[in-house]
Amino acid sequence: MKQSWQNTLESFSRSQYSAALNGIRRGIEKESLRVNGDSSLASTAHPVSLGSPLTHQWITTDYAEALMEFITPVDTNAKKSLGTLADIHRHVYHHIGEELLWPLSMPCTIAAEEDITLARYGNSDVGKTKTIYRQGLKNRYGSMMQSIAGVHYNFSMPDHFWPVWQQIKDDKQPLQDFISESYLALTRNFLRFGWLVPYLFGASPVVDSSFLTHTRSTLPLENIGRSSHYLPHATSLRMSKLGYNTQVQDNLAISYNSLPAFISGLRQATSQPNPVFEKIGVMRHGEYQQLNTNTLQIEGELYAPIRPKRVTRPGERLSDALQTRGVQYVEVRSLDVNPYAETGIDLEQIYFLDIFLTYCLLKESPAFSWQQQCTAKKNMQQVATCGRDVSVILQDGERPRSLKKWGEELFSDLSEVARLLDKPAQSMKYQKALHHQHQKLKDPAKTPSARILKDMAEQKLEINELALNLAKKHRHTLLKTNYTQVRSCEFAREALVSRSKQRELEKSKPANINDYLRLTLDVFPPAPKPEKVLRGQYCHIPPRLCPNKASHESTCCA
């Protein structure tokens, strides 16, 4: 396997292939709660002056009316993407008065779950459906969990890369099939090595005590100050069982070993009723409580640190889009909001993610057994809760390894990728970014999670007081600087266009929402039966859920 990796590096070092890695495409989605000056959740509606959150291309809302989401267009220029994200923040600050954008992933002070208003999208069928879906999330997982924010990083290689990579791999299948297979290989490697992301960028080692009032946690959290709780070596409570996780999805039969297997698992989860959610029911007193009682109401409810994606057409399901047109990009979902960056993510993070995801794509990626998938998830949890403990041990396949030793091995490979990415432009930006992140591995005190605890101690602040100070600083910085990528008049035009689009949607609706939901959500293709598994291979379905139990090796998860 090492020789194969060296062959890959040597191939892309050649002049005829090196340019193939130039032109990585990226898009960023960043979430932020709107808060008041006392760190309480804003109770105001999404500002009308910003346009319709249902149809606006850059500014929308996620779970709650106060949980904003900012979306950048896909671009090959990282600085331009970050500039666009800054412009969106800048523009929003011009329209939310004295409110602030919360700079942390974990929520602000929320006195009661009833204070969290579900996002509203108007009276169109699609708008009502989005709100009912959020009502389902509230009933299934609670509103506090859904108020956690993050940064999603959408990554894809340029079109000219794929024929080169296929030639290097000596692959003869249709190009799109090869592309889909390659993105799934990337996904498997990200699950294997992705614990490195919360170690380097986790920024939620502390939560406000109000969060614990409304959530159940078995984590041994400790007091730090009057109203803050933490784990001494945590990197990302957001990625822990306390955060954006649900036990119900732990046993989902979703495999990343092939596109048919992934689609099969996704459809199975969205078509089979779940006894836990059947107790909630769909209707109560004439009001929708959720879209359905399946394990996933819709495919977007799948919680995962990374997902293979394809841009869908209006009314199209992701699984259908993937089946007909293949994988187009991957969405990384394990990034905390960076509280020290005005935009929640900085340029060095972007460059590192480019390196890391390219590495996951180029590195050999064997098929994942279910047990290996379980182990990868445990590694992520381990790093999220105690990653800054220098003695922490992770599981690499069958062998235990220290985080630091495994991390050093990864950085050795990543340095080779950084050189390849720098070569076309004869720059050092990737190598410099990687060097800076490497210092965090050598010294856990340099991680953002450690910096937060240090700032709280030195400034004698609660976590929410520190967050408020940072939010005010970011607001001041953004408002005193000018737009760089999107002009104010373009935002004004988009607000008008988005409101017009919403009005058009509200004009054309069927007799009632029941008919719309029946037509758009209740017709799922039957989940394919588990394929016969040859001896020595692993079935992707957990044994306790699989009717074909004889296919499973004894080493699969029980």
Side-chain angles (χ1 to χ4, degrees):
M1 291 180 71
K2 189 67 176 176
Q3 181 59 40
S4 179
W5 171 239
Q6 288 302 324
N7 288 343
T8 296
L9 295 175
E10 290 167 10
S11 295
F12 281 109
S13 296
R14 297 171 193 160
S15 57
Q16 68 266 39
Y17 293 147
S18 61
L21 294 171
N22 198 27
I24 289 171
R25 295 161 59 82
R26 59 187 72 78
I28 303 168
E29 303 166 28
K30 188 258 186 174
E31 301 159 349
S32 284
L33 285 169
R34 286 187 291 111
V35 304
N36 300 311
D38 60 355
S39 84
S40 63
L41 186 68
S43 58
T44 53
H46 184 80
V48 175
S49 58
L50 288 176
S52 165
L54 178 65
T55 53
H56 200 292
Q57 63 175 319
W58 303 312
I59 304 169
T60 181
T61 52
D62 194 86
Y63 170 76
E65 187 75 356
L67 183 56
M68 307 191 83
E69 183 173 359
F70 307 145
I71 304 165
T72 71
V74 177
D75 206 293
T76 59
N77 186 317
K79 290 183 179 179
K80 184 177 178 182
S81 293
L82 208 55
T84 300
L85 190 58
D87 285 343
I88 296 172
H89 282 74
R90 187 173 290 114
H91 183 72
V92 166
Y93 265 126
H94 281 295
H95 290 260
I96 60 173
E98 296 302 311
E99 291 176 354
L100 297 164
L101 295 174
W102 195 241
L104 300 179
S105 279
M106 300 306 282
C108 60
T109 303
I110 300 179
E113 286 202 88
E114 291 70 30
D115 295 341
I116 305 171
T117 304
L118 298 183
R120 296 183 285 256
Y121 299 99
N123 295 318
S124 67
D125 294 315
V126 64
K128 289 179 179 178
T129 300
K130 286 171 76 73
T131 300
I132 294 170
Y133 167 61
R134 284 154 176 75
Q135 181 66 43
L137 296 177
K138 175 182 179 179
N139 290 332
R140 290 171 173 223
Y141 315 119
S143 294
M144 291 297 286
M145 184 186 109
Q146 297 297 322
S147 299
I148 297 171
V151 176
H152 298 171
Y153 190 75
N154 299 314
F155 171 93
S156 62
M157 296 301 288
D159 292 342
H160 62 257
F161 164 81
W162 295 110
V164 173
W165 183 223
Q166 189 174 30
Q167 181 181 346
I168 292 172
K169 297 276 285 184
D170 193 26
D171 183 276
K172 306 300 183 185
Q173 63 184 314
L175 183 60
Q176 182 54 59
D177 291 346
F178 173 73
I179 292 171
S180 296
E181 185 180 281
S182 298
Y183 277 128
L184 285 162
L186 183 164
T187 300
R188 292 193 299 274
N189 272 341
F190 187 91
L191 294 174
R192 285 185 177 98
F193 312 132
W195 53 263
L196 191 58
V197 173
Y199 176 83
L200 296 174
F201 304 125
S204 53
V206 191
V207 293
D208 179 68
S209 57
S210 67
F211 184 82
L212 301 178
T213 305
H214 309 287
T215 56
R216 295 178 181 176
S217 171
T218 57
L219 295 178
L221 295 170
E222 301 176 18
N223 285 87
I224 178 172
R226 301 181 311 279
S227 59
S228 305
H229 288 75
Y230 83 130
L231 288 177
H233 300 291
T235 63
S236 174
L237 292 178
R238 169 180 171 266
M239 292 299 295
S240 74
K241 290 186 180 297
L242 176 68
Y244 207 71
N245 273 285
T246 165
Q247 279 188 306
V248 178
Q249 292 190 20
D250 282 349
N251 293 321
L252 280 180
I254 294 180
S255 167
Y256 300 93
N257 287 337
S258 71
L259 187 55
F262 177 74
I263 292 170
S264 170
L266 200 57
R267 287 176 173 171
Q268 190 173 21
T270 51
S271 62
Q272 292 188 349
N274 185 292
V276 176
F277 301 143
E278 283 183 321
K279 293 178 182 178
I280 298 172
V282 174
M283 298 287 289
R284 188 186 303 157
H285 306 304
E287 297 289 334
Y288 274 97
Q289 300 303 306
Q290 54 186 337
L291 292 173
N292 52 56
T293 61
N294 301 329
T295 300
L296 302 181
Q297 297 174 88
I298 60 174
E299 293 167 347
E301 193 175 334
L302 175 65
Y303 300 146
I306 186 171
R307 298 193 298 203
K309 297 291 288 288
R310 154 75 63 177
V311 174
T312 57
R313 295 163 181 164
E316 184 181 38
R317 296 186 186 91
L318 173 62
S319 60
D320 293 337
L322 292 174
Q323 185 172 48
T324 56
R325 301 191 301 284
V327 183
Q328 186 180 19
Y329 65 97
V330 293
E331 177 191 38
V332 173
R333 299 164 54 84
S334 56
L335 279 172
D336 282 0
V337 175
N338 181 347
Y340 296 102
E342 291 91 354
T343 51
I345 184 172
D346 62 29
L347 195 59
E348 277 202 347
Q349 287 180 271
I350 291 175
Y351 289 150
F352 175 85
L353 290 168
D354 288 348
I355 299 166
F356 187 66
L357 291 167
T358 302
Y359 169 70
C360 289
L361 175 64
L362 300 183
K363 184 73 172 176
E364 302 88 352
S365 182
F368 241 0
S369 72
W370 177 250
Q371 180 167 354
Q372 288 168 334
Q373 211 164 309
C374 292
T375 298
K377 185 166 187 176
K378 289 176 183 175
N379 286 340
M380 183 75 79
Q381 292 285 323
Q382 183 88 331
V383 173
T385 55
C386 53
R388 280 182 290 104
D389 180 352
V390 294
S391 65
V392 69
I393 298 296
L394 305 178
Q395 198 71 23
D396 181 8
E398 296 296 318
R399 58 176 177 150
R401 303 187 67 184
S402 72
L403 182 153
K404 183 161 284 191
K405 187 172 182 179
W406 194 358
E408 287 292 349
E409 185 178 294
L410 286 172
F411 267 95
S412 177
D413 282 350
L414 292 171
S415 66
E416 301 285 356
V417 177
R419 277 193 282 271
L420 290 177
L421 292 176
D422 276 331
K423 187 175 180 180
Q426 295 184 327
S427 73
M428 291 290 291
K429 64 184 182 183
Y430 283 110
Q431 293 171 77
K432 287 179 179 178
L434 188 68
H435 174 76
H436 188 227
Q437 299 309 320
H438 195 185
Q439 303 313 302
K440 297 178 184 177
L441 183 67
K442 293 179 178 179
D443 182 4
K446 294 182 178 179
T447 59
S449 53
R451 182 180 175 183
I452 288 171
L453 296 175
K454 181 173 180 285
D455 286 351
M456 288 176 64
E458 290 183 349
Q459 300 172 40
K460 295 181 173 57
L461 297 174
E462 299 293 319
I463 184 59
N464 282 1
E465 293 171 336
L466 176 65
L468 273 179
N469 288 348
L470 290 169
K472 291 173 183 177
K473 177 184 174 184
H474 296 338
R475 182 181 189 275
H476 176 75
T477 300
L478 288 162
L479 288 179
K480 75 175 184 180
T481 50
N482 296 323
Y483 295 92
T484 63
Q485 301 298 327
V486 186
R487 294 172 296 174
S488 178
C489 62
E490 293 176 86
F491 280 111
R493 188 184 307 116
E494 177 61 20
L496 290 172
V497 170
S498 67
R499 287 195 293 269
S500 176
K501 287 179 180 177
Q502 178 173 329
R503 286 193 296 270
E504 288 301 313
L505 287 171
E506 291 174 346
K507 285 179 184 177
S508 55
K509 58 181 181 179
N512 59 62
I513 189 65
N514 300 332
D515 293 339
Y516 177 79
L517 293 178
R518 192 175 300 113
L519 287 170
T520 57
L521 293 172
D522 290 346
V523 184
F524 284 90
K529 294 180 180 178
E531 298 177 4
K532 184 177 180 180
V533 180
L534 299 176
R535 184 169 181 78
Q537 294 182 338
Y538 288 102
C539 176
H540 67 276
I541 299 178
R544 57 184 172 278
L545 301 179
C546 181
N548 190 17
K549 296 182 187 299
S551 298
H552 287 274
E553 297 291 325
S554 60
T555 50
C556 281
C557 284

